[in-house]
Amino acid sequence: MNSFARRLLITFLSAALFGSAAAGELTDAELKRMRNETRVALVIGNGKYQDFEPLDNPPNDATGVAAALRSAGFKVVLKLDATHAQMIEALDAFAANIGNVDIALFYFAGHAAQVDWRNYLLPVSAELDVGEKSGRDLLSQVAREAVDLAEVLKRMEGGKQRLNIVILDACRNNPFTTAAREISRSMSRSTGKTPFSVGVGLAQSFAPSGTFLAYSTAPGQVASDGTGRNSPYSAALIEALAVPGLKLEDVFKRVRNSVAEATAHEQIPWDNSSLFRDFYFQVPASVSTEKPTSKQEGINTTFISP
């Protein structure tokens, strides 16, 4: 190897080894911008379902997350045990208010349904009849009674804000999965066609540009409601949101590790990112930030959208 090649290799290795340290430093201008960010959030926690198994923790989860977000500088609208009309009204108002903000965040805890690879968030008023006759109309029932996640993302994508965050602690067991899937199989046997697909948990959704999308568990898996005041996911999230100096991605890595440990690796949160800039819930106090530590560096289920 000649001297030029040797110097080039040393330069390359130095950049690889020490480039991450430089990336962990913020300028005074960046800190000033972050401290002046406008942040708004819509937080919904549904537990008192009328036609499905009630959930104890979503209202507690939403209340705790709302408090943590307020401490992080967010202006929060909190809705508990919302009906379909109340969810739509809140989403419409949220979409109207985020056009000129810097950070918009949507959080939902409660029941959710995956039907034909689309994800639906269930209000407490949802009525879904999966009897054999009405099951043929399941898709239109779900669209009428629930809130399509794609519509939430569409409302948020329409604004001019720099960054969108969507957090879903909504992978509790789909309350009509078993019955609906049996109807689908029965209809397939009689007609030779599959009328609809019903899956466990939520289907994977890709984050639109400038969006960070966080799931409480992997696509197609069920998340725990928990035995204490909060679900394992929201309990970990509330704790992580208060840690100073963590980038957005590091907050959710910490959450992932905490949930994995709390559930003996039965539940592994996932996220999907199309972000271009760094974001801190708790803005660092100075231009130098410490590299966060993680007890389980090997668990990484972040997807970067193409």
Side-chain angles (χ1 to χ4, degrees), residues 171-174 200-202 216-224 266-267:
C171 303
R172 275 84 165 186
N173 194 22
N174 180 335
V200 174
L202 294 181
S216 60
T217 193
Q221 300 298 315
V222 176
S224 171
E266 291 293 325
Q267 180 177 334

Side-chain angles (χ1 to χ4, degrees), residues 23-131:
E25 297 180 355
L26 297 170
T27 66
D28 287 324
E30 287 173 325
L31 285 174
K32 182 178 180 180
R33 172 185 58 77
M34 291 178 182
R35 293 185 183 120
N36 291 328
E37 287 173 337
T38 51
R39 305 176 173 195
V40 298
L42 173 59
V43 176
I44 300 175
N46 288 344
K48 294 182 179 179
Y49 285 92
Q50 300 169 10
D51 277 17
F52 308 127
E53 178 184 358
L55 297 170
D56 293 331
N57 286 335
N60 299 332
D61 296 333
T63 300
V65 169
L69 290 174
R70 290 190 182 101
S71 296
F74 281 81
K75 181 179 180 181
V76 180
V77 173
L78 174 63
K79 298 291 182 180
L80 302 179
D81 296 320
T83 64
H84 184 269
Q86 290 168 338
M87 286 184 67
I88 294 300
E89 181 182 7
L91 280 167
D92 287 342
F94 181 56
N97 289 331
I98 63 177
N100 295 315
V101 305
D102 298 303
I103 312 296
L105 185 148
F106 174 81
Y107 167 94
F108 177 83
H111 277 312
Q114 176 194 155
V115 180
D116 265 5
W117 309 107
R118 297 181 73 88
N119 294 321
Y120 296 89
L121 311 179
L122 301 188
V124 296
S125 59
E127 297 179 353
L128 300 177
D129 185 353
V130 294

Side-chain angles (χ1 to χ4, degrees), residues 21 46 52 61 90-91 108 144 149 187 211 216 225 247 271:
N46 288 344
F52 308 127
D61 296 333
L91 280 167
F108 177 83
R144 181 175 63 249
L149 174 60
M187 294 173 66
T211 300
S216 60
D225 191 42
K247 292 181 183 180
D271 49 65

Side-chain angles (χ1 to χ4, degrees), residues 132 136 178-196:
E132 185 169 358
R136 299 172 186 271
T178 302
R181 292 174 83 178
E182 179 56 38
I183 292 170
S184 182
R185 286 193 293 266
S186 176
M187 294 173 66
S188 296
R189 289 191 294 267
S190 63
T191 65
K193 298 180 180 180
T194 302
F196 49 79

Side-chain angles (χ1 to χ4, degrees), residues 245-266:
L246 291 183
K247 292 181 183 180
L248 174 64
E249 293 85 355
D250 293 322
V251 166
F252 285 92
K253 285 179 184 177
R254 182 175 289 236
V255 170
R256 182 177 304 125
N257 284 305
S258 296
V259 173
E261 182 177 350
T263 63
H265 287 244
E266 291 293 325

